[in-house]
Amino acid sequence: MLFYRLRVTLSNVGFVMISKNLLLLFLGQLVVVTAPMAKIDSQKSAAGPKKDVASKDDAASDKKSKNGSKPNGGQNTLKTILESALRYNKDIKVQDNEVKARHEDIASAKAAFLPHLTAEVGHSSSDKKTHSTNKNNDDTPDHRVKDKVNTAKVQATYNLYRGGADKAAYDEAHCQARAAWAARTAKMQQILRDVSVAYFTIIAKQKEVSHLKSLLKARRESSDVARRMLQAGTAKELDVLQADAAASETEAKVAKAESEYTAYCAQFKAMTGMPMPVNPTIPAKMFDDGMSEDHAITIAVGNNPEIRAKIEECSAARFMVKKPNTEFCPSADVTASVEKSRRSSVNKNDPHQANYPATTSCSMGITVTVPIYDGGGGRANVRKAQAILARANEERDRAVDNIKAEVHATWAAIGAAKGNIASATKAVELRERVLHDTMEEYRAGVKIMKDVLEAQSQLFESQSLLIQAEEQYFANQCRALALLGRMDPQYLKIQDSGFDYMDHYKKTRAKI
């Protein structure tokens, strides 16, 4: 790149006065650095888990559920498991290290607003020998001089103007840090959601095993009844064979369900670092599911950490567009230096003569660089940054659309699960009465064993539907909490003894 350079060298007399002006200019530039810091502190609530301010009705309804208990009450076992998951999970630790790296990017960008100091120490030695060129006078001796020079130099360089590149890089670093905070929150909520869903899935599997064992017990009792009635001559041998076959089939189902339960528990321990409780507690509900769908979408768009991360990435991309523009802007730098040198000169013809002069020089210069042509690299960087910004905007819009679609699907699933719980509960009650009446009619000789086995199967199917409906209800409530940005320690009232990214940010920005 071709450029014009203007350098002004000042005398020692004016050096002190210009140093004072440079100090005042430097203090003025510090305002540019400290202003975004105050902005970050004011946005602390936006970086961390947001609290829904717009829904006072939801805050009041969250305090107590319909049965008078707190929505999170009665789930101490689940709370302990979630706390263990936050301490044990490796993915959260990966996000913690990513946040730390982004904080160091802020410190690196801050360095552009501070002067750069360099120190140089040098030593040189020379041996010069001058031969006589006077042919008429052969007595002219050769002249030989040995020089030894020791130098020490301290130089300070400070940028006055660079077209806003330093400010853009500094703002971009802050946006990237806030995006990393939101990404960490999203990962934490995803882990808490997955652990909660796995918790209710295992509870459903426990209930399935329990109902299968009850079914097996009932079919064994039916087999015993059929044998006694066969001995009494009131039943056929076919009834005994059907009862024994149904009991054997149920034993196989119990073994399969127990093996699945064991596998689920092993996966659960790998996720949380602690075993699944034998008698887990079940909350009444995870949150107030009476919230309207439109209000839920409003909260999700404002609080969902994935959307917040995409928004911050868009802001960072906008500042990235500004940085390459400085390739077309002039820049100005101030350089001040103090140099001290000591020279030793020795004349070979006069060994007794020795001179050790020492010199000290101070200088200050201003360099102005004007870019003329860079081969098109600057324009290519601008087009690249603009493409990245367009991609970030599309990803943000896509994330918003996906969250809205998930809210629609989740709220529909919650409503369907509530309806299925009500209908399945009623079906279980009716099937129990049908099984009781069918068994009595079989003993009376009105029904056959096939009717009894079919009534038992229908009761188990109704119980399975109820289990699935309850599992879907709680699983979708956990998904709803994550979509709303509420699947966090603050809302769930659990302790998070992990990484405090705001404390690390304050400690990092205090370093120079």
Side-chain angles (χ1 to χ4, degrees):
M1 177 182 292
L2 301 177
F3 57 88
Y4 296 105
R5 176 168 293 179
L6 173 63
R7 180 177 297 276
V8 181
T9 303
L10 305 177
S11 63
N12 294 340
V13 178
F15 178 77
V16 177
M17 297 180 61
I18 296 185
S19 299
K20 292 181 179 179
N21 296 331
L22 178 62
L23 179 60
L24 294 176
L25 179 61
F26 167 65
L27 293 176
Q29 290 290 336
L30 283 180
V31 178
V32 180
V33 184
T34 55
M37 296 294 185
K39 181 180 180 181
I40 291 297
D41 289 336
S42 64
Q43 294 178 347
K44 179 178 179 181
S45 59
K50 290 189 177 181
K51 189 175 181 181
D52 181 21
V53 182
S55 58
K56 296 182 179 180
D57 296 337
D58 295 336
S61 60
D62 286 341
K63 292 182 179 179
K64 291 188 178 181
S65 60
K66 294 181 180 180
N67 57 2
S69 61
K70 293 183 179 180
N72 294 324
Q75 57 168 334
N76 293 329
T77 303
L78 178 59
K79 292 171 66 174
T80 304
I81 290 172
L82 294 178
E83 290 173 355
S84 176
L86 291 179
R87 294 190 301 267
Y88 181 80
N89 194 277
K90 299 295 188 298
D91 292 336
I92 296 181
K93 294 180 174 59
V94 172
Q95 293 294 328
D96 292 346
N97 292 324
E98 177 67 20
V99 171
K100 293 179 182 178
R102 295 302 180 184
H103 289 173
E104 296 302 332
D105 289 341
I106 296 177
S108 178
K110 177 184 176 182
F113 297 93
L114 301 176
H116 294 181
L117 299 177
T118 58
E120 299 178 6
V121 177
H123 173 78
S124 63
S125 178
S126 64
D127 189 353
K128 298 180 181 180
K129 185 175 181 181
T130 305
H131 298 281
S132 176
T133 58
N134 189 355
K135 298 181 179 180
N136 298 326
N137 189 4
D138 296 334
D139 295 335
T140 302
D142 295 338
H143 184 67
R144 187 173 185 178
V145 178
K146 291 183 177 181
D147 281 344
K148 294 181 179 180
V149 181
N150 297 322
T151 60
K153 180 180 180 181
V154 177
Q155 179 174 303
T157 304
Y158 181 71
N159 174 256
L160 293 178
Y161 178 74
R162 199 172 295 164
D166 298 336
K167 183 66 167 56
Y170 190 71
D171 293 336
E172 179 191 2
H174 277 92
C175 292
Q176 292 289 358
R178 290 194 292 269
W181 298 346
R184 179 188 182 275
T185 303
K187 175 59 68 175
M188 180 181 64
Q189 296 200 15
Q190 177 186 352
I191 291 170
L192 294 178
R193 180 200 64 192
D194 294 343
V195 169
S196 301
V197 171
Y199 178 82
F200 293 114
T201 301
I202 294 177
I203 290 177
K205 184 58 67 173
Q206 283 180 336
K207 291 183 178 181
E208 180 183 353
V209 172
S210 177
H211 290 315
L212 279 172
K213 289 182 177 179
S214 300
L215 177 61
L216 178 60
K217 181 180 179 181
R219 290 191 164 173
R220 286 174 176 173
E221 291 176 353
S222 299
S223 180
D224 293 339
V225 171
R227 283 191 176 87
R228 289 195 299 268
M229 294 180 66
L230 178 62
Q231 293 175 358
T234 57
K236 299 178 181 180
E237 187 177 357
L238 179 61
D239 294 342
V240 178
L241 294 177
Q242 289 177 340
D244 290 342
S248 299
E249 292 174 354
T250 307
E251 285 180 355
K253 292 181 180 179
V254 170
K256 180 182 178 181
E258 287 181 340
S259 64
E260 292 176 350
Y261 172 74
T262 303
Y264 288 163
C265 289
Q267 295 175 359
F268 185 81
K269 186 175 182 180
M271 293 173 62
T272 62
M274 64 183 302
M276 180 70 185
V278 179
N279 297 316
T281 57
I282 304 175
K285 59 174 66 177
M286 297 295 293
F287 80 114
D288 181 20
D289 52 12
M291 182 188 304
S292 65
E293 187 174 318
D294 294 336
H295 186 51
I297 290 176
T298 302
I299 297 176
V301 172
N303 290 3
N304 188 275
E306 294 182 6
I307 295 179
R308 294 210 312 270
K310 295 300 181 182
I311 292 174
E312 294 298 340
E313 289 176 1
C314 290
S315 300
R318 281 193 291 270
F319 289 116
M320 189 185 300
V321 172
K322 297 180 180 180
K323 287 197 302 183
N325 291 334
T326 58
E327 298 292 334
F328 309 104
C329 298
S331 62
D333 296 277
V334 175
T335 303
S337 64
V338 177
E339 183 177 2
K340 185 174 183 179
S341 63
R342 180 179 293 274
R343 178 184 298 273
S344 173
S345 300
V346 179
N347 191 336
K348 181 179 179 182
N349 296 329
D350 190 4
H352 299 288
Q353 180 184 4
N355 186 21
Y356 303 94
T359 59
T360 301
S361 62
C362 300
S363 64
M364 175 176 286
I366 298 178
T367 302
V368 178
T369 303
V370 180
I372 297 178
Y373 179 69
D374 64 346
R379 293 178 178 84
N381 291 332
V382 171
R383 293 192 296 269
K384 177 182 176 181
Q386 291 173 347
I388 293 176
L389 175 59
R391 183 188 66 185
N393 290 330
E394 293 295 335
E395 291 179 350
R396 178 201 58 199
D397 296 339
R398 183 179 62 182
V400 173
D401 294 339
N402 291 339
I403 293 300
K404 290 181 178 180
E406 290 182 16
V407 170
H408 285 299
T410 303
W411 252 248
I414 290 176
K418 291 170 67 175
N420 292 337
I421 289 175
S423 59
T425 301
K426 185 176 181 180
V428 168
E429 296 176 356
L430 296 176
R431 290 299 179 185
E432 288 176 348
R433 293 172 56 185
V434 170
L435 176 59
H436 178 269
D437 295 342
T438 304
M439 195 65 189
E440 293 296 329
E441 292 176 354
Y442 173 74
R443 290 190 178 96
V446 178
K447 298 288 187 179
I448 61 177
M449 179 54 65
K450 184 178 180 181
D451 296 330
V452 175
L453 297 178
E454 184 178 357
Q456 291 174 349
S457 298
Q458 291 175 348
L459 173 60
F460 176 73
E461 290 176 1
S462 299
Q463 292 172 338
S464 298
L465 290 176
L466 178 59
I467 293 172
Q468 294 174 5
E470 291 176 346
E471 178 190 359
Q472 290 299 317
Y473 177 71
F474 286 108
N476 282 288
Q477 280 209 336
C478 295
R479 296 186 181 97
L481 280 177
L483 290 173
L484 298 178
R486 292 179 171 182
M487 200 71 183
D488 55 26
Q490 180 181 358
Y491 184 83
L492 298 177
K493 297 180 176 61
I494 61 177
Q495 294 181 356
D496 182 12
S497 58
F499 173 65
D500 187 353
Y501 59 84
M502 285 303 302
D503 181 67
H504 184 269
Y505 164 76
K506 292 178 181 179
K507 291 180 179 179
T508 304
R509 78 174 191 180
K511 298 178 182 178
I512 298 179

